[in-house]
Amino acid sequence: MVLAPTGFHGQKSVKMPHSSRLKCNAGTHMVFFILNVVEAIGVIMTFKPFLTTPQVASG
């Protein structure tokens, strides 16, 4: 009988990580939130030249 490496028997022996590893402070969340905002602004600025409408010269 051949079992997959990630089969049922392998999952039973996996222990949950210690709770101290899962704790994050508010500073970490703020840093990644600010990084996400900066990234979103960068993506918006990438498409900004394509969103402008050409001005028709009257003359």
Side-chain angles (χ1 to χ4, degrees):
M1 181 167 95
V2 178
L3 294 175
T6 59
F8 177 75
H9 297 289
Q11 291 178 357
K12 286 182 80 173
S13 65
V14 175
K15 294 182 180 179
M16 291 297 293
H18 196 269
S19 63
S20 65
R21 292 185 193 172
L22 298 176
K23 293 180 182 177
C24 294
N25 57 10
T28 304
H29 289 281
M30 285 301 296
V31 167
F32 283 103
F33 175 74
I34 292 170
L35 286 173
N36 284 332
V37 169
V38 169
E39 184 68 26
I41 291 171
V43 170
I44 292 170
M45 295 297 281
T46 300
F47 293 108
K48 189 174 180 180
F50 300 105
L51 297 176
T52 59
T53 55
Q55 297 180 357
V56 178
S58 60

